[in-house]
Amino acid sequence: MKKGKDENTEEQILEAAKNVFQTKGMDGARMQEIADKAGINKAMLHYYYRSKQLLFEAVFKNVFSLLAPQLNAILNDDSSIEEKVKNFTFNYISFISKHPYLPNFIIQELNRNPEFILQMKDSKGFPNLAKFKKQVDREVEKGSIKPISAEQLFINILALNIFPFVAKPLIMAFSNVDSKVYKQLMEDRKTEVADFIINSIKNT
Amino acid sequence: MKKGKDENTEEQILEAAKNVFQTKGMDGARMQEIADKAGINKAMLHYYYRSKQLLFEAVFKNVFSLLAPQLNAILNDDSSIEEKVKNFTFNYISFISKHPYLPNFIIQELNRNPEFILQMKDSKGFPNLAKFKKQVDREVEKGSIKPISAEQLFINILALNIFPFVAKPLIMAFSNVDSKVYKQLMEDRKTEVADFIINSIKNT
DNA sequence: AATTTTGTTAACCAAATGGTTAAACCGTAT
DNA sequence: ATACGGTTTAACCATTTGGTTAACAAAATT
Protein backbone atom coordinates (compact mmCIF):
# COMPACT_ATOMS: atom_id res chain seq x y z
CA MET A 1 0.00 0.00 0.00
CA LYS A 2 1.40 3.33 -0.99
CA LYS A 3 -1.88 5.05 -0.21
CA GLY A 4 -0.35 6.56 2.86
CA LYS A 5 1.85 8.58 0.59
CA ASP A 6 -0.81 9.88 -1.82
CA GLU A 7 -3.23 10.90 0.87
CA ASN A 8 -0.46 12.61 2.69
CA THR A 9 0.54 14.69 -0.31
CA GLU A 10 -3.05 15.51 -1.15
CA GLU A 11 -3.60 16.58 2.43
CA GLN A 12 -0.42 18.65 2.51
CA ILE A 13 -1.53 20.46 -0.63
CA LEU A 14 -4.92 21.23 0.85
CA GLU A 15 -3.35 22.56 4.03
CA ALA A 16 -0.95 24.78 2.14
CA ALA A 17 -3.75 25.92 -0.16
CA LYS A 18 -5.98 26.77 2.79
CA ASN A 19 -3.19 28.83 4.20
CA VAL A 20 -2.46 30.75 1.01
CA PHE A 21 -6.03 31.18 -0.23
CA GLN A 22 -7.28 32.39 3.11
CA THR A 23 -4.61 35.04 3.43
CA LYS A 24 -4.30 36.14 -0.22
CA GLY A 25 -7.72 35.34 -1.67
CA MET A 26 -8.37 33.58 -4.97
CA ASP A 27 -6.94 36.38 -7.10
CA GLY A 28 -3.92 37.05 -4.95
CA ALA A 29 -2.98 33.40 -4.43
CA ARG A 30 -0.18 31.89 -6.53
CA MET A 31 0.03 28.21 -7.38
CA GLN A 32 3.80 28.32 -6.97
CA GLU A 33 3.49 29.66 -3.43
CA ILE A 34 1.09 26.87 -2.51
CA ALA A 35 3.48 24.30 -3.93
CA ASP A 36 6.39 25.83 -2.02
CA LYS A 37 4.42 25.86 1.23
CA ALA A 38 3.48 22.23 0.69
CA GLY A 39 7.09 21.43 -0.15
CA ILE A 40 6.26 19.73 -3.46
CA ASN A 41 6.40 20.31 -7.18
CA LYS A 42 3.83 22.62 -8.72
CA ALA A 43 2.69 19.93 -11.14
CA MET A 44 1.35 17.96 -8.19
CA LEU A 45 -1.28 20.60 -7.55
CA HIS A 46 -2.71 19.87 -10.96
CA TYR A 47 -2.22 16.14 -10.59
CA TYR A 48 -4.46 16.10 -7.52
CA TYR A 49 -6.79 19.04 -8.11
CA ARG A 50 -6.73 19.69 -11.87
CA SER A 51 -6.89 23.48 -11.75
CA LYS A 52 -6.55 26.49 -9.52
CA GLN A 53 -10.33 26.91 -9.57
CA LEU A 54 -10.97 23.35 -8.38
CA LEU A 55 -8.31 23.59 -5.70
CA PHE A 56 -9.87 26.81 -4.55
CA GLU A 57 -13.30 25.19 -4.38
CA ALA A 58 -11.93 22.32 -2.32
CA VAL A 59 -10.44 24.85 0.08
CA PHE A 60 -13.59 26.90 0.26
CA LYS A 61 -15.77 23.90 1.04
CA ASN A 62 -13.33 22.69 3.64
CA VAL A 63 -13.18 26.06 5.35
CA PHE A 64 -16.90 26.55 5.14
CA SER A 65 -17.46 23.20 6.80
CA LEU A 66 -15.63 24.54 9.83
CA LEU A 67 -17.94 27.51 10.09
CA ALA A 68 -21.27 25.80 9.51
CA PRO A 69 -21.38 23.84 12.80
CA GLN A 70 -20.71 27.04 14.71
CA LEU A 71 -23.74 28.65 13.16
CA ASN A 72 -25.90 25.60 13.58
CA ALA A 73 -25.22 25.85 17.30
CA ILE A 74 -27.41 28.89 17.34
CA LEU A 75 -29.89 27.79 14.73
CA ASN A 76 -30.59 24.17 15.61
CA ASP A 77 -29.75 23.72 19.27
CA ASP A 78 -32.53 23.07 21.77
CA SER A 79 -31.59 25.53 24.49
CA SER A 80 -33.29 28.86 25.12
CA ILE A 81 -32.46 31.96 23.12
CA GLU A 82 -30.64 33.44 26.05
CA GLU A 83 -28.50 30.37 26.55
CA LYS A 84 -27.78 30.12 22.85
CA VAL A 85 -26.64 33.71 22.65
CA LYS A 86 -24.36 33.23 25.61
CA ASN A 87 -22.88 29.99 24.37
CA PHE A 88 -22.50 31.06 20.78
CA THR A 89 -20.79 34.31 21.64
CA PHE A 90 -18.40 32.66 24.01
CA ASN A 91 -17.56 29.80 21.67
CA TYR A 92 -17.41 31.76 18.45
CA ILE A 93 -14.82 34.20 19.70
CA SER A 94 -12.66 31.32 20.88
CA PHE A 95 -13.20 29.55 17.59
CA ILE A 96 -12.16 32.53 15.49
CA SER A 97 -8.99 33.02 17.46
CA LYS A 98 -7.92 29.68 16.02
CA HIS A 99 -9.01 30.65 12.48
CA PRO A 100 -8.43 34.37 12.23
CA TYR A 101 -8.62 34.61 8.43
CA LEU A 102 -11.74 32.48 8.05
CA PRO A 103 -14.58 34.99 8.21
CA ASN A 104 -12.87 37.49 5.99
CA PHE A 105 -12.02 34.83 3.46
CA ILE A 106 -15.56 33.54 3.20
CA ILE A 107 -17.08 36.98 3.00
CA GLN A 108 -14.59 38.21 0.45
CA GLU A 109 -14.93 35.25 -1.84
CA LEU A 110 -18.69 35.18 -1.65
CA ASN A 111 -18.82 38.80 -2.63
CA ARG A 112 -16.53 38.09 -5.54
CA ASN A 113 -18.77 35.30 -6.70
CA PRO A 114 -22.17 35.24 -4.96
CA GLU A 115 -23.51 32.41 -7.10
CA PHE A 116 -20.96 30.08 -5.57
CA ILE A 117 -22.89 29.59 -2.37
CA LEU A 118 -25.89 28.26 -4.27
CA GLN A 119 -23.95 25.08 -5.01
CA MET A 120 -23.66 24.51 -1.29
CA LYS A 121 -27.12 25.28 -0.11
CA ASP A 122 -28.28 21.72 -0.82
CA SER A 123 -25.56 19.93 1.13
CA LYS A 124 -26.70 18.66 4.50
CA GLY A 125 -25.61 20.65 7.50
CA PHE A 126 -25.97 23.90 5.59
CA PRO A 127 -27.20 26.47 8.13
CA ASN A 128 -30.90 27.15 7.87
CA LEU A 129 -33.14 29.55 9.75
CA ALA A 130 -36.32 27.48 9.83
CA LYS A 131 -36.09 26.06 13.34
CA PHE A 132 -34.66 29.23 14.85
CA LYS A 133 -37.51 31.21 13.34
CA LYS A 134 -40.09 29.09 15.09
CA GLN A 135 -38.29 29.46 18.37
CA VAL A 136 -38.02 33.23 18.15
CA ASP A 137 -41.66 33.60 17.16
CA ARG A 138 -42.70 31.39 20.05
CA GLU A 139 -40.62 33.29 22.60
CA VAL A 140 -41.91 36.59 21.30
CA GLU A 141 -45.47 35.33 21.60
CA LYS A 142 -44.83 34.03 25.09
CA GLY A 143 -43.50 37.47 25.94
CA SER A 144 -40.11 36.31 27.17
CA ILE A 145 -38.37 38.47 24.57
CA LYS A 146 -39.34 41.73 22.92
CA PRO A 147 -40.81 41.62 19.40
CA ILE A 148 -38.09 41.02 16.80
CA SER A 149 -37.94 38.95 13.64
CA ALA A 150 -35.69 35.90 13.65
CA GLU A 151 -33.87 37.29 10.61
CA GLN A 152 -32.99 40.56 12.28
CA LEU A 153 -31.94 38.87 15.49
CA PHE A 154 -29.77 36.43 13.58
CA ILE A 155 -28.16 39.24 11.62
CA ASN A 156 -27.47 41.12 14.84
CA ILE A 157 -25.91 38.12 16.53
CA LEU A 158 -23.65 37.43 13.58
CA ALA A 159 -22.78 41.09 13.14
CA LEU A 160 -21.73 41.64 16.74
CA ASN A 161 -19.65 38.48 16.78
CA ILE A 162 -18.08 38.37 13.34
CA PHE A 163 -17.58 41.99 12.40
CA PRO A 164 -14.92 42.87 14.98
CA PHE A 165 -12.61 40.29 13.43
CA VAL A 166 -13.33 41.21 9.86
CA ALA A 167 -12.80 44.91 10.49
CA LYS A 168 -9.86 44.55 12.85
CA PRO A 169 -7.44 46.88 11.00
CA LEU A 170 -10.12 49.55 10.69
CA ILE A 171 -11.13 49.44 14.32
CA MET A 172 -7.55 49.37 15.50
CA ALA A 173 -6.81 52.53 13.54
CA PHE A 174 -9.87 54.42 14.75
CA SER A 175 -9.61 53.51 18.38
CA ASN A 176 -5.82 53.81 18.44
CA VAL A 177 -5.17 50.55 20.22
CA ASP A 178 -2.39 48.06 19.57
CA SER A 179 -2.73 44.34 18.97
CA LYS A 180 -2.49 43.53 22.64
CA VAL A 181 -5.28 45.86 23.71
CA TYR A 182 -7.35 44.73 20.77
CA LYS A 183 -7.03 41.14 21.84
CA GLN A 184 -8.20 42.12 25.30
CA LEU A 185 -11.21 43.92 23.82
CA MET A 186 -12.13 40.72 21.99
CA GLU A 187 -11.66 38.70 25.13
CA ASP A 188 -14.03 41.02 26.97
CA ARG A 189 -16.57 40.60 24.22
CA LYS A 190 -16.94 36.91 25.03
CA THR A 191 -19.38 37.93 27.74
CA GLU A 192 -20.15 41.56 26.93
CA VAL A 193 -21.69 40.85 23.55
CA ALA A 194 -24.10 38.32 24.99
CA ASP A 195 -25.15 40.79 27.68
CA PHE A 196 -25.57 43.49 25.07
CA ILE A 197 -27.91 41.32 23.01
CA ILE A 198 -29.88 39.97 25.93
CA ASN A 199 -30.30 43.41 27.47
CA SER A 200 -31.79 44.52 24.23
CA ILE A 201 -34.34 41.78 23.67
CA LYS A 202 -35.22 40.57 27.14
CA ASN A 203 -38.57 41.63 28.53
CA THR A 204 -38.39 43.04 32.02
CA MET B 1 -5.83 76.15 -21.74
CA LYS B 2 -6.28 72.47 -22.37
CA LYS B 3 -6.56 71.85 -18.70
CA GLY B 4 -10.22 71.08 -19.15
CA LYS B 5 -9.18 68.10 -21.18
CA ASP B 6 -6.56 66.67 -18.84
CA GLU B 7 -8.60 66.96 -15.73
CA ASN B 8 -11.44 65.36 -17.52
CA THR B 9 -9.33 62.38 -18.53
CA GLU B 10 -7.72 62.13 -15.14
CA GLU B 11 -11.15 62.20 -13.56
CA GLN B 12 -12.54 59.62 -15.97
CA ILE B 13 -9.67 57.29 -15.10
CA LEU B 14 -10.29 57.68 -11.39
CA GLU B 15 -13.98 56.97 -11.82
CA ALA B 16 -13.34 53.87 -13.90
CA ALA B 17 -10.67 52.75 -11.46
CA LYS B 18 -12.99 53.23 -8.50
CA ASN B 19 -15.51 51.09 -10.25
CA VAL B 20 -13.14 48.27 -11.11
CA PHE B 21 -11.07 48.27 -7.93
CA GLN B 22 -14.12 48.30 -5.70
CA THR B 23 -15.73 45.34 -7.42
CA LYS B 24 -12.61 43.26 -8.19
CA GLY B 25 -10.14 44.34 -5.53
CA MET B 26 -6.49 45.23 -6.12
CA ASP B 27 -5.49 41.71 -7.16
CA GLY B 28 -8.49 41.04 -9.34
CA ALA B 29 -8.46 44.40 -11.11
CA ARG B 30 -6.93 44.70 -14.58
CA MET B 31 -5.42 47.89 -15.92
CA GLN B 32 -6.86 47.11 -19.34
CA GLU B 33 -10.36 46.87 -17.94
CA ILE B 34 -9.98 50.22 -16.25
CA ALA B 35 -8.77 51.76 -19.48
CA ASP B 36 -11.69 50.25 -21.38
CA LYS B 37 -14.22 51.50 -18.84
CA ALA B 38 -12.67 54.96 -19.05
CA GLY B 39 -12.72 54.78 -22.83
CA ILE B 40 -9.04 55.62 -23.22
CA ASN B 41 -5.72 54.02 -24.00
CA LYS B 42 -4.05 51.97 -21.31
CA ALA B 43 -0.88 54.07 -21.50
CA MET B 44 -2.87 57.00 -20.12
CA LEU B 45 -3.28 55.24 -16.80
CA HIS B 46 0.47 55.30 -16.39
CA TYR B 47 0.78 58.81 -17.77
CA TYR B 48 -1.48 60.13 -15.01
CA TYR B 49 -0.90 57.70 -12.18
CA ARG B 50 2.48 56.07 -12.84
CA SER B 51 1.61 52.57 -11.65
CA LYS B 52 -1.23 50.27 -10.66
CA GLN B 53 -0.23 50.65 -7.04
CA LEU B 54 -0.42 54.45 -7.14
CA LEU B 55 -3.72 54.39 -9.00
CA PHE B 56 -5.05 52.01 -6.40
CA GLU B 57 -3.92 54.27 -3.60
CA ALA B 58 -5.62 57.25 -5.21
CA VAL B 59 -8.82 55.21 -5.42
CA PHE B 60 -8.55 53.99 -1.87
CA LYS B 61 -8.05 57.46 -0.46
CA ASN B 62 -10.91 58.81 -2.51
CA VAL B 63 -13.26 56.07 -1.36
CA PHE B 64 -12.12 56.33 2.22
CA SER B 65 -12.81 60.05 2.20
CA LEU B 66 -16.46 59.22 1.53
CA LEU B 67 -16.67 56.99 4.57
CA ALA B 68 -14.81 59.12 7.10
CA PRO B 69 -17.45 61.88 7.41
CA GLN B 70 -20.08 59.25 8.09
CA LEU B 71 -18.10 57.94 11.01
CA ASN B 72 -17.26 61.37 12.30
CA ALA B 73 -20.97 61.99 12.57
CA ILE B 74 -21.03 59.58 15.46
CA LEU B 75 -17.64 60.43 16.90
CA ASN B 76 -17.52 64.22 16.79
CA ASP B 77 -21.09 65.44 16.71
CA ASP B 78 -22.52 67.31 19.70
CA SER B 79 -25.84 65.53 20.10
CA SER B 80 -26.60 62.91 22.74
CA ILE B 81 -25.61 59.30 22.33
CA GLU B 82 -29.20 58.32 21.69
CA GLU B 83 -29.63 60.90 18.97
CA LYS B 84 -26.33 59.99 17.39
CA VAL B 85 -27.19 56.33 17.24
CA LYS B 86 -30.53 57.09 15.64
CA ASN B 87 -29.12 59.51 13.10
CA PHE B 88 -26.09 57.47 12.22
CA THR B 89 -28.05 54.27 11.69
CA PHE B 90 -30.61 55.98 9.55
CA ASN B 91 -28.06 57.86 7.45
CA TYR B 92 -25.50 55.13 7.11
CA ILE B 93 -27.91 52.64 5.62
CA SER B 94 -29.02 55.23 3.10
CA PHE B 95 -25.44 56.12 2.37
CA ILE B 96 -24.38 52.55 1.75
CA SER B 97 -27.22 51.96 -0.66
CA LYS B 98 -25.48 54.48 -2.89
CA HIS B 99 -22.07 52.84 -2.43
CA PRO B 100 -22.78 49.14 -2.04
CA TYR B 101 -19.21 47.94 -2.64
CA LEU B 102 -17.53 50.47 -0.38
CA PRO B 103 -17.42 48.74 3.01
CA ASN B 104 -16.34 45.43 1.60
CA PHE B 105 -13.65 47.08 -0.50
CA ILE B 106 -12.15 48.95 2.41
CA ILE B 107 -12.23 45.98 4.74
CA GLN B 108 -10.81 43.61 2.17
CA GLU B 109 -7.93 45.85 1.17
CA LEU B 110 -7.04 46.75 4.73
CA ASN B 111 -6.84 43.10 5.61
CA ARG B 112 -4.62 42.51 2.61
CA ASN B 113 -2.32 45.30 3.71
CA PRO B 114 -2.97 46.50 7.26
CA GLU B 115 0.00 48.89 7.27
CA PHE B 116 -1.66 50.97 4.59
CA ILE B 117 -4.04 52.70 6.97
CA LEU B 118 -1.13 54.04 8.99
CA GLN B 119 -0.32 56.43 6.15
CA MET B 120 -3.78 57.91 6.54
CA LYS B 121 -4.06 58.24 10.26
CA ASP B 122 -2.33 61.61 10.20
CA SER B 123 -4.55 63.26 7.62
CA LYS B 124 -7.13 65.60 9.08
CA GLY B 125 -10.65 64.30 9.29
CA PHE B 126 -9.44 60.82 10.09
CA PRO B 127 -11.98 59.34 12.52
CA ASN B 128 -10.82 59.38 16.11
CA LEU B 129 -12.45 58.10 19.28
CA ALA B 130 -11.18 60.72 21.73
CA LYS B 131 -14.22 62.95 21.92
CA PHE B 132 -16.68 60.08 21.79
CA LYS B 133 -14.87 58.38 24.63
CA LYS B 134 -15.32 61.41 26.87
CA GLN B 135 -19.00 61.56 26.02
CA VAL B 136 -19.64 57.91 26.75
CA ASP B 137 -17.74 58.03 30.02
CA ARG B 138 -19.69 61.10 31.04
CA GLU B 139 -23.07 59.58 30.20
CA VAL B 140 -22.17 56.39 32.03
CA GLU B 141 -21.16 58.38 35.07
CA LYS B 142 -24.36 60.44 34.91
CA GLY B 143 -26.21 57.16 34.80
CA SER B 144 -28.10 57.87 31.59
CA ILE B 145 -26.61 54.78 29.97
CA LYS B 146 -25.45 51.47 31.36
CA PRO B 147 -21.72 50.91 31.91
CA ILE B 148 -19.96 50.22 28.62
CA SER B 149 -16.64 51.28 27.18
CA ALA B 150 -16.64 53.68 24.26
CA GLU B 151 -14.62 51.21 22.24
CA GLN B 152 -17.10 48.40 22.68
CA LEU B 153 -20.05 50.63 21.97
CA PHE B 154 -18.40 51.97 18.85
CA ILE B 155 -17.60 48.47 17.65
CA ASN B 156 -21.19 47.42 18.24
CA ILE B 157 -22.60 50.37 16.35
CA LEU B 158 -20.33 49.75 13.38
CA ALA B 159 -20.94 46.03 13.45
CA LEU B 160 -24.71 46.27 13.44
CA ASN B 161 -24.69 48.81 10.64
CA ILE B 162 -21.91 47.66 8.36
CA PHE B 163 -21.90 43.90 8.67
CA PRO B 164 -25.25 43.23 6.99
CA PHE B 165 -23.93 44.76 3.79
CA VAL B 166 -20.58 43.07 3.90
CA ALA B 167 -22.10 39.66 4.53
CA LYS B 168 -25.05 40.03 2.20
CA PRO B 169 -24.49 36.83 0.18
CA LEU B 170 -23.99 34.79 3.33
CA ILE B 171 -27.09 36.09 5.05
CA MET B 172 -29.21 35.73 1.95
CA ALA B 173 -28.23 32.09 1.67
CA PHE B 174 -28.88 31.25 5.32
CA SER B 175 -32.16 33.04 5.65
CA ASN B 176 -33.35 32.00 2.21
CA VAL B 177 -34.53 35.41 1.13
CA ASP B 178 -34.21 37.01 -2.29
CA SER B 179 -32.80 40.43 -3.11
CA LYS B 180 -36.13 42.12 -2.72
CA VAL B 181 -36.81 40.79 0.76
CA TYR B 182 -33.23 41.49 1.72
CA LYS B 183 -33.59 45.08 0.69
CA GLN B 184 -36.69 45.35 2.85
CA LEU B 185 -34.84 43.88 5.80
CA MET B 186 -32.18 46.57 5.38
CA GLU B 187 -34.85 49.23 5.12
CA ASP B 188 -36.38 48.02 8.38
CA ARG B 189 -32.98 48.20 10.03
CA LYS B 190 -32.86 51.96 9.54
CA THR B 191 -34.91 52.24 12.73
CA GLU B 192 -34.69 48.76 14.25
CA VAL B 193 -30.94 48.83 14.74
CA ALA B 194 -31.06 52.10 16.64
CA ASP B 195 -33.79 50.73 18.89
CA PHE B 196 -31.79 47.57 19.43
CA ILE B 197 -28.74 49.52 20.55
CA ILE B 198 -30.63 51.99 22.71
CA ASN B 199 -32.66 49.25 24.39
CA SER B 200 -29.44 47.65 25.35
CA ILE B 201 -27.62 50.60 26.86
CA LYS B 202 -30.34 52.87 28.17
CA ASN B 203 -30.90 52.91 31.88
CA THR B 204 -34.52 52.49 32.88
C1' DA C 1 4.07 81.15 -38.03
C1' DA C 2 7.41 78.41 -35.73
C1' DT C 3 8.49 75.94 -31.76
C1' DT C 4 7.95 73.85 -27.55
C1' DT C 5 5.10 71.42 -24.35
C1' DT C 6 1.41 68.36 -23.21
C1' DG C 7 -1.85 64.69 -24.28
C1' DT C 8 -2.82 60.37 -26.76
C1' DT C 9 -2.18 56.15 -29.22
C1' DA C 10 -0.52 51.65 -31.22
C1' DA C 11 2.93 48.58 -30.90
C1' DC C 12 6.00 46.42 -28.14
C1' DC C 13 8.45 44.09 -24.04
C1' DA C 14 9.76 41.31 -20.12
C1' DA C 15 8.13 38.98 -16.30
C1' DA C 16 4.80 36.28 -14.12
C1' DT C 17 1.52 32.74 -14.16
C1' DG C 18 -1.57 28.68 -14.78
C1' DG C 19 -1.05 24.71 -16.91
C1' DT C 20 1.22 20.61 -19.69
C1' DT C 21 4.45 16.95 -20.84
C1' DA C 22 7.72 13.45 -21.00
C1' DA C 23 10.77 11.17 -18.47
C1' DA C 24 12.27 9.36 -14.01
C1' DC C 25 11.13 7.15 -9.61
C1' DC C 26 9.50 3.64 -6.61
C1' DG C 27 6.79 0.25 -4.30
C1' DT C 28 4.22 -3.97 -5.51
C1' DA C 29 2.65 -8.00 -7.79
C1' DT C 30 3.87 -11.43 -11.10
C1' DA D 1 14.46 -9.96 -11.67
C1' DT D 2 10.98 -7.67 -14.27
C1' DA D 3 7.12 -5.46 -15.69
C1' DC D 4 3.47 -2.42 -14.14
C1' DG D 5 0.96 1.15 -11.76
C1' DG D 6 0.61 5.34 -9.62
C1' DT D 7 3.60 9.29 -8.09
C1' DT D 8 6.94 13.03 -8.68
C1' DT D 9 9.92 16.18 -11.02
C1' DA D 10 12.29 19.48 -14.31
C1' DA D 11 11.62 21.69 -18.28
C1' DC D 12 8.60 23.77 -21.21
C1' DC D 13 4.53 26.47 -23.21
C1' DA D 14 0.97 29.91 -24.21
C1' DT D 15 -1.28 33.60 -22.36
C1' DT D 16 -1.89 37.39 -19.51
C1' DT D 17 -0.37 41.48 -17.51
C1' DG D 18 1.83 45.74 -15.87
C1' DG D 19 4.56 48.78 -17.90
C1' DT D 20 7.40 51.28 -21.77
C1' DT D 21 8.44 53.60 -26.10
C1' DA D 22 8.34 56.18 -30.10
C1' DA D 23 5.66 58.51 -33.07
C1' DC D 24 1.77 61.57 -33.63
C1' DA D 25 -1.76 65.23 -32.42
C1' DA D 26 -3.23 69.25 -30.12
C1' DA D 27 -2.42 73.15 -27.47
C1' DA D 28 0.26 76.67 -25.59
C1' DT D 29 4.25 79.74 -25.92
C1' DT D 30 7.39 82.47 -28.35
Side-chain angles (χ1 to χ4, degrees), chain A residues 2 5-6 9 40-41 43-44 47-48:
Chain A
K2 59 191 160 231
K5 218 172 181 182
D6 344 345
T9 302
I40 47 102
N41 190 282
M44 297 303 283
Y47 181 78
Y48 283 105

Side-chain angles (χ1 to χ4, degrees), chain A residues 2-17 21 31 34-35 38-59:
Chain A
K2 59 191 160 231
K3 218 178 177 188
K5 218 172 181 182
D6 344 345
E7 284 193 340
N8 200 346
T9 302
E10 195 169 339
E11 190 54 36
Q12 277 176 286
I13 293 173
L14 194 67
E15 280 309 305
F21 276 127
M31 295 297 267
I34 295 172
I40 47 102
N41 190 282
K42 181 163 67 88
M44 297 303 283
L45 305 183
H46 296 94
Y47 181 78
Y48 283 105
Y49 293 94
R50 296 263 307 277
S51 69
K52 185 184 184 184
Q53 176 64 26
L54 288 174
L55 177 55
F56 169 78
E57 289 177 17
V59 166

Side-chain angles (χ1 to χ4, degrees), chain A residues 179-191:
Chain A
S179 266
K180 198 170 181 171
V181 175
Y182 194 79
K183 211 182 163 196
Q184 184 57 50
L185 282 177
M186 293 305 109
E187 198 59 31
D188 296 342
R189 288 180 76 82
K190 282 188 181 178
T191 55

Side-chain angles (χ1 to χ4, degrees), chain B residues 1-2 29-31 42 46 51-52:
Chain B
M1 279 274 262
K2 61 191 160 224
R30 294 292 160 252
M31 295 296 267
K42 182 164 68 84
H46 295 95
S51 68
K52 186 185 183 183

Side-chain angles (χ1 to χ4, degrees), chain A residues 22-80:
Chain A
Q22 281 193 81
T23 50
K24 308 276 178 90
M26 170 65 169
D27 291 328
R30 295 291 161 251
M31 295 297 267
Q32 188 60 58
E33 187 181 355
I34 295 172
D36 291 346
K37 280 234 163 80
I40 47 102
N41 190 282
K42 181 163 67 88
M44 297 303 283
L45 305 183
H46 296 94
Y47 181 78
Y48 283 105
Y49 293 94
R50 296 263 307 277
S51 69
K52 185 184 184 184
Q53 176 64 26
L54 288 174
L55 177 55
F56 169 78
E57 289 177 17
V59 166
F60 190 91
K61 281 172 187 161
N62 185 295
V63 169
F64 193 83
S65 74
L66 295 174
L67 180 65
Q70 299 287 326
L71 302 180
N72 281 323
I74 207 151
L75 295 174
N76 295 320
D77 194 83
D78 282 320
S79 45
S80 71

Side-chain angles (χ1 to χ4, degrees), chain B residues 12-30:
Chain B
Q12 276 175 287
I13 292 174
L14 193 68
E15 279 309 305
K18 275 166 70 173
N19 187 324
V20 174
F21 275 126
Q22 280 193 82
T23 51
K24 310 273 177 88
M26 170 65 169
D27 291 329
R30 294 292 160 252

Side-chain angles (χ1 to χ4, degrees), chain A residues 69-75 77-95 157 161 189-195 197-198:
Chain A
Q70 299 287 326
L71 302 180
N72 281 323
I74 207 151
L75 295 174
D77 194 83
D78 282 320
S79 45
S80 71
I81 300 260
E82 190 169 337
E83 277 180 285
K84 280 177 168 184
V85 168
K86 280 188 174 153
N87 284 331
F88 175 76
T89 298
F90 196 89
N91 292 332
Y92 183 81
I93 296 181
S94 299
F95 166 73
I157 294 171
N161 280 293
R189 288 180 76 82
K190 282 188 181 178
T191 55
E192 281 195 30
V193 165
D195 292 342
I197 296 169
I198 291 163

